[in-house]
Amino acid sequence: MVHDDNRRVGSREQSVGENESTDSERGETRRRTFLKGSAVALGASAFPVTANRASAHGDESDERDRIDRVDTATSDEGMVASSDPRASTIGADVLEAGGNAVDAAVAVQFALNAVQPHTSGIGGGGFMLVYDAGEDELYSVDNRERAPFGATPDMFLEDGEPIPFDERITLGQAVGVPGTLKACDIALKRFGTRDIDDLIGPAIDLAGGARVDYYLGSTIEEEHEKFNDAARAVFAPGGTPLDIGDRVEQPDLAATFETIAEEGVGALYKGDVGEAVADVVQENGGSMTPADLGAYNVTIDTPEYVEYGDVTVRTQPLPSSGGLTIAHILSLLEPFDLGQYDRQSVEVSQLLVEAFKLAYADRGEYMGDKQFVDAPWQGLLDEEYLDERRATIESGEVTTETQQPGDPWSYQPGSPYAIDPLTVDDVSTIRDAPRPYIPSPRGSTTHFTVADDDGNMVSWTSTIEQLFGSGIMVPGQGFMLNNELTDFDAEPGGPNEVQPLKRPLSSTSPTIVFRDGKPLFTVGSPGGTTIITTVAEMVINLVDFGMGLAEAVAEPRLYANSEPAIYPEASVPEDVQDGLRELGYELSPFTRLGNVMTIRVDQETGEYTGAADFRNGGLTRGL
C-alpha cells in the first residue's frame, strides 16, 4: 500500500527526494572540425572560444541552485525517473521484485493515472521506446489515439470557419480512440515478464485515496470549469476545487482498474467500459462507437534516427513529428561547432532559434500520419537540401517574420503518394486561421523512463493532450478522456487534416541516444510542440557541451517555431535575452519549459544515473 506521505511500506521504506549530484561526471567539451564560416557571420570573433557555461552571465550560486534542484540517483541495478515520487517508487519496487523495465514502466503508467490524472491515463495515448538488451534492438510501441470511423475533415468547422480552439478542446469530436491501455497489454506480452493484474494493484490503492500535490491542485483550480459532472464530483465536489494537501478519492477509477485486473484490456476495447466511453463521447457530440474501440490496435515500428557527432539519436517516427524534426534540427546545427561558444550566449541562442524556425516550417507543411501521407523524409535530411536551408543561418539572418517551408520534395526520390504539398495560397489561408495557444509550460503530458539490471530500457511519453484532456470523465469509470484530435488541422486540405482512423500529428519525442551501438541515455519531456526543442537541447547539452546529467537538465531552455516570437525561459540570462532583442527578435519569456526525465548509462561500468527535472517535479529511484 502507498501512503500519502510518499513513503513505501515494506522492506524498501525510505524517504523520497534524496538528491545525489552528478556534476562531477561532466566530460570534456567536444570539438568539431568543420564550420563553413558561419561563426564570423554570427560575430563569434568577439567572443573567446573557451568556457561553455553560463556563469559569465549570471550568479554562479543561481546556477548551482538550479543543478541542485534536479533530483538524481545512481545505481548499477535499475533506475526509474518519473514526474511523481509515488509512481517512481512503485516502479522501483517492481524492479526490486524481479520485474523488468517494461513491467516497471506499466506499473508507473497506472500509478500516474491515479495521482496525475490531468496529464495521462487509460483515456489517452502516447509513444513508447523499448530497448531490448537481449535482442540488442530498439522498438517503438505507437499507441497514438486514432480518429473514429465517423470523423470527417470538416468536423472542427462551423459555417466554414474553425471552431474557436478553447471550445474545440471540450467537444466529443476532440476525443480520439485511446491507446494507452492497449500499449500496456502489448508491451507486456512482447517484452515484459508480468501480467497487468500483477502490476495494477498499487494504482488501485492510490485511486482509493491519495494526497493532492501542488501540480494536481493548481491544475484543478485552473481547469475545473471545463469539467463534466462526473469529473466535477471527483475533483471539485460540491463545486469547491480540491486544494493542495487535500485527499482525492477516485472509487470509480479504482473499480475500473479492478475490472481490468480481472477481465484484461478487453474491458475497455470490447466490454462495458468501452461502451461507457462511446456513450459519453456521443453525448458530447462525437461519433465514437464501441466498434471504434474494438478496432483499435497499437503498431510496433522502427524508430527514426540521426547521426550527430559520435552519437546516434533514435526517436519516434511519424505520426509523431518529433523524430524527423529533431533530426532536422540537429542536422542543420551540426556544422556550427556549438561547443566552441558559451552555452548561454547570443550566438548559440540565435543558431538554435533559426534552426528551430526552419525545421518547424517544414514540419507544419509536410508531416502527418505515415499510414495516410507520404512525408519527404529523405529530402528533409538530404545534405544538399540542408545546405540550402542552412545558408540563411550562415548569413546571420534574423528571421522576424513567419518562416516559410522549403521544398524537400526536390531532393526526394519519387513524388508523394497521398496528399500533395500545399500551394502557397493554401499555406497562407491556414497560417492566417486562428491558432491554438502555445502549450502550458507545465505541460499536459508526462514522460517517464526506466532501466533494469539486464540493460533493458524504456522511454515513454504518455498524454491526454490538454490538462485534464477534454474535461470529460467517463461516468461510472473514473478516468478522463483525451482531446487529442485537436492536434489535427481544423481546416481540411493539408497532410494533417482529419480523416477516419487517422492519427493526428504529434510532437512527443521519447528518445534513446546510442554511442558505439550501445545505449548512452534516455530522454523525453512533456510540453506540446516544445517537446521537440527540449529534447534537442538536452542532446546538445550532453553531446556538444559535455555536461553532467543534472547540469544538462537544469540548463535554461528556449523555444521557437515558424512564427515570429521566440520563447526563452525566464532563467535565460538577461544579457542573452537583451542581445536577442537587439538583433530584432520578439521575446515572450516563459517561467519554465518542459519537464525532462532521463537516465544515463556509464558505458564502461554499466552504472545508471537518473535525473528528474525540478520544473514540474519528479523523482528518480535507483535500486
Side-chain angles (χ1 to χ4, degrees), residues 24-240:
S24 62
E25 74 177 64
R26 285 182 53 199
E28 290 187 1
T29 301
R30 296 178 53 256
R31 296 284 185 257
R32 293 201 173 82
T33 58
F34 44 98
L35 190 56
K36 299 191 177 181
S38 56
V40 175
L42 288 166
S45 59
F47 292 83
V49 184
T50 53
N52 59 359
R53 296 298 307 119
S55 58
H57 299 275
D59 189 336
E60 290 186 18
S61 64
D62 290 343
E63 179 189 336
R64 184 68 254 174
D65 178 64
R66 290 175 60 83
I67 295 171
D68 288 343
R69 291 169 64 196
V70 177
D71 185 77
T72 61
T74 58
S75 172
D76 58 5
E77 296 182 8
M79 183 67 61
V80 181
S82 87
S83 55
D84 189 277
R86 293 159 289 189
S88 294
T89 302
I90 286 167
D93 286 348
V94 171
L95 296 178
E96 188 76 42
N100 70 8
V102 172
D103 302 327
V106 169
V108 168
Q109 173 63 87
F110 284 125
L112 289 171
N113 193 156
V115 296
Q116 293 190 347
H118 57 299
T119 64
S120 72
I122 62 173
F127 299 94
M128 175 188 194
L129 290 188
V130 178
Y131 175 69
D132 187 310
E135 298 180 17
D136 191 22
E137 291 288 350
L138 186 68
Y139 299 92
S140 166
V141 181
D142 179 338
N143 52 109
R144 180 66 160 165
E145 300 90 335
R146 289 184 182 271
F149 189 76
T152 60
D154 62 352
M155 71 182 189
F156 291 126
L157 299 181
E158 191 171 86
D159 298 326
E161 296 295 327
I163 298 170
F165 189 73
D166 59 354
E167 297 177 21
R168 201 185 314 160
I169 61 176
T170 60
L171 299 175
Q173 294 96 308
V175 181
V177 181
T180 294
L181 185 58
K182 185 61 73 74
C184 293
D185 181 55
I186 296 298
L188 287 174
K189 288 174 177 174
R190 174 64 177 83
F191 305 105
T193 68
R194 301 287 192 270
D195 295 326
I196 282 179
D197 60 339
D198 294 326
L199 303 169
I200 203 170
I204 294 172
D205 291 341
L206 287 171
R211 179 183 178 275
V212 176
D213 66 8
Y214 171 80
Y215 300 105
L216 177 56
S218 59
T219 305
I220 292 172
E221 174 64 31
E222 292 173 5
E223 301 291 332
H224 71 275
E225 291 185 0
K226 78 176 183 182
F227 289 162
N228 68 346
D229 289 343
R232 194 172 296 111
V234 174
F235 301 117
T240 303

Side-chain angles (χ1 to χ4, degrees), residues 357-381:
K357 286 178 174 290
L358 289 167
Y360 275 84
D362 285 347
R363 171 193 181 273
E365 176 79 344
Y366 297 111
M367 296 186 195
D369 185 345
K370 64 183 179 181
Q371 293 181 348
F372 288 74
V373 178
D374 194 12
W377 61 274
Q378 290 169 289
L380 285 169
L381 302 179

Side-chain angles (χ1 to χ4, degrees), residues 20-26 64 72-74 548-551 609-610:
E20 303 174 44
S21 176
T22 59
D23 190 46
S24 62
E25 74 177 64
R26 285 182 53 199
R64 184 68 254 174
T72 61
T74 58
L549 203 61
E551 188 179 11
T609 300

Side-chain angles (χ1 to χ4, degrees), residues 331-621:
S331 297
L332 287 167
L333 289 171
E334 186 166 23
F336 292 100
D337 191 17
L338 299 181
Q340 68 177 302
Y341 305 110
D342 186 327
R343 172 62 179 88
Q344 292 300 326
S345 63
V346 176
E347 288 71 33
V348 168
S349 297
Q350 185 181 2
L351 286 166
L352 293 178
V353 164
E354 293 298 330
F356 294 166
K357 286 178 174 290
L358 289 167
Y360 275 84
D362 285 347
R363 171 193 181 273
E365 176 79 344
Y366 297 111
M367 296 186 195
D369 185 345
K370 64 183 179 181
Q371 293 181 348
F372 288 74
V373 178
D374 194 12
W377 61 274
Q378 290 169 289
L380 285 169
L381 302 179
D382 181 88
E383 286 300 330
E384 291 186 20
Y385 180 67
L386 290 168
D387 286 342
E388 176 187 305
R389 297 290 273 169
R390 196 184 290 122
T392 62
I393 308 178
E394 293 173 341
S395 70
E397 181 177 321
V398 174
T399 305
T400 57
E401 303 294 331
T402 299
Q403 180 62 265
Q404 299 300 307
D407 183 16
W409 279 111
S410 296
Y411 301 88
Q412 173 91 3
S415 299
Y417 62 74
I419 296 176
D420 291 332
L422 303 182
T423 67
V424 173
D425 289 340
D426 291 333
V427 172
S428 299
T429 298
I430 290 174
R431 286 198 176 122
D432 291 341
R435 291 186 167 272
Y437 56 85
I438 297 296
S440 165
R442 291 188 296 118
S444 46
T445 296
T446 193
H447 180 83
F448 49 96
T449 182
V450 183
D452 64 29
D453 61 356
D454 290 325
N456 302 302
M457 306 185 82
V458 174
S459 184
W460 191 345
T461 308
S462 183
T463 182
I464 53 173
E465 186 57 9
Q466 265 74 41
L467 292 163
F468 281 110
S470 61
I472 300 171
M473 176 180 282
V474 185
Q477 306 301 326
F479 59 92
M480 304 301 299
L481 291 177
N482 70 85
N483 53 3
E484 215 70 61
L485 301 191
T486 58
D487 274 352
F488 282 121
D489 294 337
E491 294 203 39
N496 191 38
E497 73 171 8
V498 182
Q499 292 183 43
L501 309 183
K502 190 177 182 181
R503 298 168 293 184
L505 192 65
S506 174
S507 298
T508 51
S509 307
T511 298
I512 302 182
V513 175
F514 291 72
R515 178 177 285 156
D516 298 327
K518 297 298 180 184
L520 181 63
F521 62 90
T522 69
V523 65
S525 175
T529 58
T530 71
I531 293 171
I532 292 169
T533 58
T534 296
V535 171
E537 288 178 84
M538 276 294 297
V539 173
I540 288 164
N541 292 343
L542 291 166
V543 175
D544 289 289
F545 293 94
M547 294 182 187
L549 203 61
E551 188 179 11
V553 171
E555 191 68 21
R557 300 169 188 148
L558 58 80
Y559 167 75
N561 56 28
S562 61
E563 302 298 317
I566 62 176
Y567 303 86
E569 283 190 312
S571 55
V572 170
E574 289 186 10
D575 65 327
V576 175
Q577 295 193 45
D578 290 342
L580 292 170
R581 289 189 183 94
E582 290 174 5
L583 286 173
Y585 291 109
E586 171 192 340
L587 270 62
S588 296
F590 266 160
T591 302
R592 53 191 179 271
L593 292 166
N595 195 48
V596 166
M597 301 294 147
T598 177
I599 296 173
R600 186 170 185 170
V601 187
D602 185 316
Q603 292 186 312
E604 293 185 3
T605 67
E607 183 179 65
Y608 296 121
T609 300
D613 212 329
F614 60 84
R615 288 169 174 85
N616 209 29
L619 177 86
T620 53
R621 178 67 83 211

